[in-house]
Amino acid sequence: MDNRIRVGPEQDGQRLDNFLMAKLRGLPRARVYRMIRSGEVRVNKGRVRPQRRLADGDEVRLPPWAATPPKSPPVGRDFRWLDERIVYEDADLLVLDKPAGLAVHGGSGVSLGLIEALRAHRPGERFLELAHRLDRETSGLILVARRRRALLDLHERLRGRGVKKYYLALVAGGWPASCRQVDAPLRRSVLRSGERIVRVDESGQAASTRFRVLETGGLGEAACTLLRASPLTGRTHQIRVHCWHMGAPIVGDAKYGGERSMAAARTLGLARMALHASELVLPGWQGGEDLSFRSPEPPEWRAALENPTK
């Protein structure tokens, strides 16, 4: 196979590192950066930086070992269930309702995620890219771009307030009545074990989340509160860490909730983290009307709120 790739109009303006991550799926990001910095990857015969913006017609040269065709999706997998998860589709955009337990992409021990399954299910699609991410245990609405221009538009919107996102969170215990917004900076770090974690830290990035109490339920150790959360910034694990910071961890959150969170999940009979991406609003999508999507509250939460003993 030729180890030269011609950039097409769909990749015009894309960063080189992101272009290579899409072409060399499964290759660690650190390896991709080493390839660029060592000169194994060249653009128009010249050495470039990872952040170089590509243009339609550019020629990207890969090292011969990286030009091997990607492996075909596993034979025998049936992805027709994805059709039932699509809540909206147009020429530029797909909106899907992701189930809990499904990673949005492969990697870190996950062989196949939502985006890989979608590409395998729609082999004729030239461009399918996640516009944002959800944690594996978080269910709900997620945006997938079908064209590069739509992806760039969504990224620009997500950096500001051009996409309104609302989540439902079931937290252990009560929520301070006076707390309607949490402004607590977040910092990412790596533990000695190699686990990545986010903590509230004054030296971290600014992070703000609005909260509204929708309902309280349960008794004793099973007491819980249903919140509507709207992140005003897009930090990793923001809602989860802000809930933990306020002393009301999300039920079933093993990473940030501790034993209290897991005990509440067991008592309430919930088998996963109780965070759900419930609503998305795209104001003036593609110059037209506002688009609004909703995913209903997971039914098992209702049972937990109304019948807390299992």
Side-chain angles (χ1 to χ4, degrees):
M1 179 181 175
D2 190 0
N3 65 337
R4 290 175 173 80
I5 301 175
R6 184 73 61 179
V7 176
E10 287 291 343
Q11 291 85 34
D12 186 66
Q14 187 174 24
R15 282 175 49 138
L16 174 62
D17 51 358
N18 293 331
F19 174 84
L20 293 175
M21 290 300 297
K23 293 294 182 182
L24 305 175
R25 301 190 190 284
L27 197 66
R29 181 175 287 271
R31 183 68 182 94
V32 169
Y33 276 79
R34 284 199 300 272
M35 287 165 52
I36 300 171
R37 289 171 178 145
S38 67
E40 291 181 272
V41 171
R42 302 208 172 203
V43 177
N44 300 331
K45 300 182 180 181
R47 296 180 67 144
V48 292
R49 295 182 177 183
Q51 62 268 32
R52 159 72 180 268
R53 297 282 179 179
L54 298 173
D56 183 13
D58 279 349
E59 182 183 80
V60 180
R61 191 194 73 183
L62 304 177
W65 62 265
T68 304
K71 294 181 179 179
S72 300
V75 177
R77 296 206 181 188
D78 187 350
F79 299 114
R80 286 178 294 181
W81 59 269
L82 280 166
D83 292 330
E84 299 178 359
R85 289 284 174 172
I86 296 173
V87 299
Y88 176 81
E89 178 175 357
D90 64 25
D92 296 310
L93 176 69
L94 286 173
V95 182
L96 292 93
D97 194 343
K98 185 186 84 68
L102 176 66
V104 294
H105 59 79
S108 301
V110 179
S111 60
L112 185 137
L114 174 66
I115 193 64
E116 290 85 8
L118 187 60
R119 289 170 181 151
H121 183 53
R122 294 187 166 197
E125 291 266 7
R126 294 182 58 188
F127 189 93
L128 287 172
E129 294 289 346
L130 294 164
H132 61 113
R133 300 181 180 185
L134 293 177
D135 294 333
R136 183 173 183 175
E137 291 303 313
T138 301
S139 56
L141 300 171
I142 189 164
L143 301 169
V144 176
R146 300 181 70 191
R147 294 183 181 179
R148 174 144 186 82
R149 67 181 185 188
L151 181 65
L152 296 176
D153 183 18
L154 289 169
H155 282 171
E156 184 67 27
R157 287 167 171 266
L158 287 161
R159 281 192 287 269
R161 287 290 289 165
V163 178
K164 298 178 182 178
K165 298 190 291 183
Y166 302 94
Y167 293 75
L168 293 176
L170 191 63
V171 299
W175 185 262
S178 61
C179 180
R180 297 184 179 180
Q181 182 167 317
V182 175
D183 299 300
L186 301 178
R187 181 177 181 180
R188 290 188 289 181
S189 58
V190 180
L191 303 180
R192 289 184 178 179
S193 63
E195 179 185 6
R196 297 180 183 275
I197 198 163
V198 179
R199 296 294 191 195
V200 172
D201 191 309
E202 289 302 320
S203 65
Q205 293 181 301
S208 299
T209 311
R210 288 177 182 162
F211 291 96
R212 179 159 62 92
V213 174
L214 299 179
E215 189 175 348
T216 57
L219 298 169
E221 292 184 356
C224 54
T225 303
L226 181 63
L227 300 174
R228 186 180 194 240
S230 175
L232 304 182
T233 51
R235 311 304 178 202
T236 300
H237 297 169
Q238 178 174 314
I239 296 174
R240 298 167 64 184
V241 179
H242 277 174
C243 287
W244 167 79
H245 178 64
M246 294 304 298
I250 294 176
V251 172
D253 189 346
K255 193 178 189 77
Y256 299 108
E259 177 55 30
R260 179 186 175 194
S261 168
M262 301 311 292
R266 290 192 295 270
T267 303
L268 294 168
L270 297 179
R272 58 96 167 184
M273 182 176 66
L275 183 62
H276 179 68
S278 61
E279 187 175 353
L280 282 171
V281 180
L282 294 172
W285 176 243
Q286 304 296 41
E289 298 181 357
D290 294 358
L291 296 182
S292 180
F293 312 100
R294 295 192 179 211
S295 176
E297 169 192 302
E300 64 271 23
W301 293 17
R302 180 53 39 198
L305 284 162
E306 297 178 354
N307 304 288
T309 56
K310 297 289 181 181

